[in-house]
Amino acid sequence: MNILQLLHTCIRSILRNRMRSLLTSLGVIIGVGSVIIMVALGEGSQREIETRITAMGTNILQVMPRRQTTRSGQQVMTRINAFSKMDIQRLRDESTFMSAVSGIASSNSSVTSGQGNVQVSVQGVEPEFFGARNWSLQAGFFFDDEDMRLRNRVAVLGNTTAKNLFGEAASAIDGQIRIGSVYFNVIGLLESKGASLGGSDQDDVIMVPLDTAITRLTNSRNIGQIVISVIGKEYMEAAQKEVEMILRESRKIAEGAASDFDIRNQADMIDMASATSRTLTSLLAAIAGVSLLVGGIGIMNIMLVSVTERTREIGIRMAIGGRKRDILFQFLTESVILSIMGGVLGIGMAFLVCRILASIGVPTAINPLIVMVSALFAALVGVIFGYYPALKAAKLYPIDALRYE
């Protein structure tokens, strides 16, 4: 029997029971589709995480004071040794890997305009902050060193805050807002960045000059965070060590004593988030792959039934010259075709589901390599689980097969 005859015979046998063939392939359809969808969701999520972190800057170091807990008798006290402008100036003067640095003084304040009243995060920052964190303007302009020196009451608004205060974001430019009891003029509107990695809205923010914030809003010269932009990703580790050394000297921390601040590396955050996402994706794909195993068992079960139903047909084929290997290849080919058919339908189902998910805002990224591997694995399932029924059919004795029923 040549290959064309073999395929013709197998396809005719499969089409003879269309519904049963479709149900037999259902396990493989679900298995292949599930694996592709799970991996697509995982990779889509990973890309989304990387995009959000990259939007904040990939060569960023964030320095934050560490909470220090002390016990005095029955009382437990928590102290935070905030940063000073002297710390920031030492970093500017002594760091060799830094392209920009900015202190941040944050507060959650009640903000009022002519059209609204909101509770929003107000951040006092330095002009270098916008470049370090990849912020760009939709309209207006950023405040500059002159505004810092004169402690001008000017503000740059995020899109969400501008809409909440003025109805339309574009209407905020040249408007006036009141932060607490201090009036500010709106000079800039930030481009929208969307949600952060933690899910908070990055556009719900107001930025004012750092010196203005610490003298007019917080009444404290303490700075709660320092953001540092490194000249290149390849210098992140060296820059982190250098920043720690400079700040320890500036804050007069004794040798051997623990630092009273923490340094977060944005590149490490990307690697950590990506590694977590890959682990979850692999786990989900492995769970989905179990359904492929179940689909293979279903194929084996139906093929064994098929051998029993067609015992007399097998006997006739052998009696007129059919060889054992012809019978083996026929049943094995039927099993592989059923499995491949399930794989193709599963791939189609996965593409359809991913398109639907993308249309409702769920990030997906179909990996062509996973599609190919899933198709090959589906064919392999057909070979593995179809071999035993095919072997059983090939081992039938012609006389016993002809006398069957």
Side-chain angles (χ1 to χ4, degrees), residues 67-103:
R67 291 178 179 271
Q68 295 177 311
T69 304
T70 57
R71 184 181 293 275
S72 177
Q74 297 298 319
Q75 287 187 321
V76 177
M77 294 179 292
T78 300
R79 182 173 63 88
I80 298 176
N81 188 13
F83 300 109
S84 66
K85 294 210 72 176
M86 184 187 296
D87 294 328
I88 297 174
Q89 195 57 48
R90 286 284 296 271
L91 287 170
R92 281 200 178 97
D93 294 340
E94 299 178 22
S95 177
T96 55
F97 298 105
M98 184 181 69
S99 61
V101 62
S102 171

Side-chain angles (χ1 to χ4, degrees), residues 186-371:
V186 179
I187 62 171
L189 178 64
L190 295 166
E191 283 279 4
S192 178
K193 276 200 173 187
S196 67
L197 187 59
S200 60
D201 188 357
Q202 295 184 85
D203 301 320
D204 195 11
V205 66
I206 295 175
M207 296 181 186
V208 300
L210 177 62
D211 287 357
T212 306
I214 62 180
T215 55
R216 298 181 185 271
L217 297 179
T218 63
N219 293 320
S220 169
R221 305 194 76 81
N222 290 337
I223 297 168
Q225 184 181 347
I226 299 174
V227 172
I228 299 166
S229 177
V230 181
I231 56 177
K233 287 177 67 176
E234 64 272 21
Y235 300 110
M236 292 295 283
E237 189 175 341
Q240 188 168 338
K241 292 178 180 177
E242 184 184 61
V243 167
E244 182 171 12
M245 182 187 68
I246 293 170
L247 286 178
R248 284 180 66 89
E249 289 179 2
S250 175
R251 293 159 75 82
K252 296 180 171 56
I253 299 173
E255 188 176 348
S259 298
D260 60 357
F261 56 88
D262 293 307
I263 303 175
R264 293 182 183 175
N265 186 328
Q266 205 84 330
D268 289 344
M269 287 176 64
I270 293 177
D271 293 339
M272 188 183 303
S274 298
T276 302
S277 180
R278 282 194 297 270
T279 301
L280 288 174
T281 301
S282 300
L283 180 61
L284 291 171
I287 294 171
V290 173
S291 56
L292 265 177
L293 180 65
V294 175
I297 294 171
I299 288 176
M300 177 186 283
N301 182 44
I302 293 301
M303 292 306 298
L304 285 171
V305 171
S306 181
V307 170
T308 303
E309 288 178 346
R310 294 158 62 187
T311 300
R312 188 171 178 81
E313 176 192 330
I314 294 169
I316 293 172
R317 287 180 180 277
M318 287 183 169
I320 60 175
R323 295 167 295 181
K324 286 187 176 182
R325 67 178 184 184
D326 293 330
I327 305 299
L328 177 70
F329 285 146
Q330 179 185 342
F331 280 86
L332 191 58
T333 304
E334 284 183 26
S335 173
V336 172
I337 290 174
L338 282 172
S339 195
I340 290 176
M341 182 177 72
V344 171
L345 291 175
I347 291 169
M349 181 189 78
F351 273 87
L352 178 62
V353 170
C354 287
R355 177 160 292 190
I356 293 171
L357 290 173
S359 68
I360 61 175
V362 179
T364 57
I366 293 178
N367 189 332
L369 179 62
I370 296 299
V371 173

